[in-house]
Amino acid sequence: MNYVAPKSGLKSFTCPHCGVLARQYHFVRTDELNSSYSNFGSNPIRVSKCEHCESVCMWYFDKLVYPARGNAPTPNADMPEDIKKIYEEAASISTQSQRGAAALLRLSIQKLVVHLGENPLCQ
């Protein structure tokens, strides 16, 4: 699976909603769906819409503000639900607190190691 980090203005990236590498349509605001990316001018609020799931991402200049998951890839479908929940929480705070996200990722790895039948990293 190829992962392309979301970036404002990029023609295609991995959608933070559905996890599919898909074409993205970019708009200044939702009531101007026919506007193109080149016509953004100085408007700081931008919207991109996924061709696959039709969900939107909101941007403030070039910073992804919705969904609040940073550029983290979507979790693997085989990941246990309790670990996936911790991973998603880490993704949602990664742009606000890198240390907090790292602590949550460490916890998810510890739980995954136990889930796989190995000894935990630390006790």
Side-chain angles (χ1 to χ4, degrees):
M1 176 172 100
N2 290 337
Y3 175 77
V4 177
K7 185 176 179 186
S8 179
L10 199 57
K11 217 177 219 186
S12 297
F13 56 75
T14 303
C15 176
H17 295 284
C18 66
V20 172
L21 178 58
R23 176 156 172 68
Q24 304 291 322
Y25 298 97
H26 300 272
F27 312 103
V28 175
R29 42 183 191 261
T30 56
D31 63 337
E32 293 181 13
L33 293 179
N34 294 323
S35 64
S36 68
Y37 185 76
S38 60
N39 293 332
F40 275 175
S42 61
N43 190 331
I45 308 295
R46 300 169 183 185
V47 177
S48 59
K49 184 177 181 182
C50 175
E51 182 178 67
H52 181 261
C53 71
E54 298 187 353
S55 295
V56 297
C57 293
M58 303 283 295
W59 305 84
Y60 182 73
F61 287 105
D62 289 333
K63 182 178 180 184
L64 179 64
V65 293
Y66 174 82
R69 66 178 332 272
N71 290 334
T74 54
N76 188 296
D78 295 333
M79 190 181 291
E81 285 303 315
D82 61 328
I83 299 170
K84 192 181 292 188
K85 186 176 178 180
I86 297 168
Y87 176 87
E88 287 291 350
E89 184 178 353
S92 73
I93 67 165
S94 64
T95 57
Q96 290 84 23
S97 174
Q98 292 176 346
R99 288 181 183 175
L104 288 168
L105 289 174
R106 179 181 172 147
L107 175 62
S108 66
I109 291 170
Q110 285 178 261
K111 288 181 169 275
L112 187 58
V113 166
V114 171
H115 174 78
L116 296 173
E118 298 295 324
N119 290 329
L121 298 173
C122 61
Q123 298 192 17

